[in-house]
Amino acid sequence: MSPRTLWLWVLLLLATTYAQAFTLDLNKLIDAGKKVGETKEVDEHGEAEIGNTAAASLLGAAPLVDNPQLQRYVNKVGLWLAMQTERPDLPWRFGVMDSDSVNAFAAPGGYVFITRGLLLQMHSEAELAGVLAHEIAHVVKRHHLVAIQKNAKTGLASDLLSMAVDNTGSQYGEWQKKAISASTELYARGLDKEDEFEADRMGVVIAARAGYDPYGLPAVLQTLDSMNPQDSNLALMFKTHPAARKRLELLDTLMTGTMERYASQPVVADRFEQVVGAYARAGK
Amino acid sequence: MKKIASVLALLFPILCMAGESAQTLVDTDLMQEPYSDAKSLAKLKAHTAVEVLKRMGGWLQVKPSENPEGWLKLTVVKLGGAGAGADTKGDTGLTALWNTATQGRSGNTGVTVATGVRGLSPEDMKNAKPNPEAVKKLGDFAVNKSQAEAAAKKAKLSKHDIDYFADAAGSKK
């Protein structure tokens, strides 16, 4: 072997080793990228699929109130609020659930629900707006989406991607089962407290952006704080949320000096009384 | 129709907070106006019973039995009244109307109406059977942006550009 050939061999060997090392690193990078993608970078299609399943689980626990006028009213208030956020173009859907329980829920992709029990405790549209805006904030920040995916043992979004587009296959059925149990478990257990506080902070700003008195949410929290914690209708809400008094105090500290200038914005009590009052008087 | 609605509203001033009983949570000043630098009218001890007249922003106008009307911050007031124990349900808003409508009806017939299981307990939630039809039904009540905007305009709601609060780490959230 001439010295020249030897050099060529050495070079080739080095190049191969380098290439192998590079390939390995690249694979690691791709894996890391996938992991990030599974929890954070779900596309809107994946979010909508997971959201549909989560919403179906919620409405399986308590149905919608059969009152189109009431439902359309809540959709008008809700969409106006959602239009003031960073995700105005989601297919937002709002609904009143036929339940004595006092609670409100959000699901990925733009679903927001409030129970009759909570709606009837309110005094004005600004209070309704405060609660809807809190739930809208959960959707905007994808709180449930991230948590549902964490609950599922494997990545729901990547499973969706690897699946055939055919939504009727048995594979999809399996996927749905997993998504259902991950979401019902989440709604029974609740989000992290910090997610709830964040939704409170964003909710009062969203309500103020939409032109409402931003103290609607604090007023509802004050009402919740006055209710008997032993009441079974409050069990899920109290289990899944930080104490109402604590939330009220945190908001008050934050809003003093910053939100007071918007406190004279309308509370829209008359329209609320007209629509929700008609529903309450009829008892259906 | 409008006239009837306004007459009804006069007959049933149900939604102003007037008449809701409450109590102070701590020793506090009763203020003349709803501002923290307003004149103090009196010192109220913790657990003083007050009647709530109305809310304005983060303030409640109240009437203590021994003092003139004044203002207290939301945070120093607990709704539900002094001496109200854990047995008070604390129903406010339109709940009383609903109860009259639903329970009144059952009273008239002398039959107790079973409203069915309408709870959303943690157990109910875990055992929920999904209802995809109800999700589709939601679409029937959806509105578009111009309908939402028209409704806002009707209520004299005007939008503002307001930043979110910064969180503890300093980022806008």
Side-chain angles (χ1 to χ4, degrees):
Chain A
M1 198 182 284
S2 72
R4 200 175 157 167
T5 331
L6 184 68
W7 258 116
L8 270 176
W9 273 111
V10 170
L11 269 179
L12 193 65
L13 194 70
L14 276 176
T16 319
T17 320
Y18 185 75
Q20 269 174 352
F22 187 73
T23 317
L24 281 176
D25 279 356
L26 202 66
N27 281 339
K28 264 189 202 161
L29 271 178
I30 291 170
D31 281 345
K34 267 187 195 157
K35 266 180 196 148
V36 169
E38 275 167 17
T39 52
K40 287 194 180 138
E41 306 298 326
V42 182
D43 67 3
E44 278 193 9
H45 169 71
E47 182 175 358
E49 282 285 346
I50 294 169
N52 274 342
T53 310
S57 304
L58 284 169
L59 293 178
L64 290 169
V65 164
D66 184 17
N67 183 326
Q69 200 202 358
L70 180 73
Q71 299 288 6
R72 287 184 75 81
Y73 168 66
V74 172
N75 273 276
K76 281 178 194 167
V77 175
L79 184 60
W80 174 243
L81 290 160
M83 283 163 67
Q84 320 306 324
T85 71
E86 302 67 61
R87 308 187 77 187
D89 298 320
L90 285 180
W92 292 96
R93 297 283 185 270
F94 300 84
V96 183
M97 294 167 86
D98 195 3
S99 168
D100 293 323
S101 277
V102 174
N103 218 332
F105 305 91
Y111 294 101
V112 171
F113 301 101
I114 181 171
T115 62
R116 172 188 68 236
L118 178 53
L119 184 68
L120 294 180
Q121 292 285 339
M122 296 176 169
H123 304 85
S124 68
E125 197 171 297
E127 293 188 15
L128 171 63
V131 169
L132 296 181
H134 168 103
E135 299 303 331
I136 287 168
H138 282 314
V139 176
V140 170
K141 299 300 284 188
R142 299 175 175 83
H143 287 153
H144 292 88
L145 184 63
V146 172
I148 288 172
Q149 296 215 87
K150 257 189 221 162
N151 267 0
K153 298 290 176 271
T154 61
L156 287 172
S158 55
D159 284 2
L160 262 187
L161 282 178
S162 65
M163 235 184 284
V165 190
D166 179 19
N167 277 7
T168 53
S170 62
Q171 225 185 346
Y172 185 72
E174 282 305 307
W175 179 88
Q176 263 195 323
K177 264 188 213 159
K178 218 156 60 175
I180 289 162
S181 83
S183 40
T184 50
E185 193 202 315
L186 175 65
Y187 289 118
R189 191 194 61 207
L191 291 165
D192 290 343
K193 278 187 177 178
E194 193 37 56
D195 287 351
E196 295 299 342
F197 291 133
E198 184 180 25
D200 282 347
R201 291 195 296 269
M202 288 175 67
V204 292
V205 173
I206 293 167
R209 284 180 183 174
Y212 291 101
D213 165 16
Y215 282 88
L217 181 59
V220 173
L221 291 172
Q222 195 189 31
T223 300
L224 294 179
D225 179 56
S226 73
M227 298 180 80
N228 180 1
Q230 306 305 315
D231 186 336
S232 62
N233 285 324
L234 290 163
L236 185 61
M237 157 79 94
F238 281 9
K239 179 176 179 237
T240 56
H241 287 75
R245 168 79 24 202
K246 173 83 183 155
R247 294 168 67 190
L248 174 60
E249 279 164 6
L250 283 175
L251 274 184
D252 182 68
T253 307
L254 208 58
M255 293 169 79
T256 302
T258 53
M259 283 286 130
E260 284 161 322
R261 79 192 73 165
Y262 304 107
S264 55
Q265 292 189 152
V267 294
V268 200
D270 45 358
R271 182 162 70 183
F272 181 84
E273 184 172 329
Q274 212 179 322
V275 180
V276 185
Y279 163 64
R281 269 185 213 101
K284 60 184 175 187
Chain B
M1 192 62 209
K2 235 180 178 176
K3 237 181 190 168
I4 297 172
S6 57
V7 168
L8 277 177
L10 281 175
L11 284 173
F12 303 101
I14 39 176
L15 281 185
C16 55
M17 295 183 74
E20 281 187 33
S21 54
Q23 59 173 313
T24 55
L25 280 168
V26 290
D27 293 357
T28 186
D29 284 299
L30 180 70
M31 310 300 259
Q32 190 169 26
E33 309 275 344
Y35 308 108
S36 39
D37 52 357
K39 194 182 144 201
S40 169
L41 293 174
K43 299 242 180 246
L44 300 184
K45 286 256 170 243
H47 311 298
T48 302
V50 298
E51 188 190 334
V52 179
L53 305 175
K54 67 175 173 192
R55 177 181 71 82
M56 219 174 87
W59 293 80
L60 292 177
Q61 190 184 35
V62 299
K63 172 76 181 75
S65 49
E66 318 257 298
N67 298 91
E69 292 169 17
W71 295 85
L72 295 173
K73 283 209 85 166
L74 271 185
T75 43
V76 303
V77 177
K78 181 152 179 128
L79 299 176
D87 55 339
T88 330
K89 208 171 164 211
D91 282 337
T92 66
L94 294 157
T95 306
L97 270 186
W98 172 269
N99 288 343
T100 309
T102 51
Q103 289 157 20
R105 214 168 33 217
S106 65
N108 288 341
T109 57
V111 178
T112 309
V113 174
T115 47
V117 182
R118 283 178 174 177
L120 269 175
S121 73
E123 280 312 303
D124 293 338
M125 201 57 253
K126 260 186 219 156
N127 301 323
K129 294 270 169 294
N131 183 353
E133 287 308 310
V135 179
K136 278 187 201 136
K137 177 95 182 144
L138 269 180
D140 296 353
F141 313 122
V143 299
N144 60 38
K145 285 183 182 174
S146 53
Q147 289 169 314
E149 200 164 355
K153 206 170 168 190
K154 216 171 172 184
K156 300 193 169 58
L157 299 168
S158 46
K159 56 181 183 178
H160 305 278
D161 288 327
I162 307 169
D163 277 345
Y164 289 129
F165 290 110
D167 65 5
S171 62
K172 296 274 182 192
K173 282 200 170 179

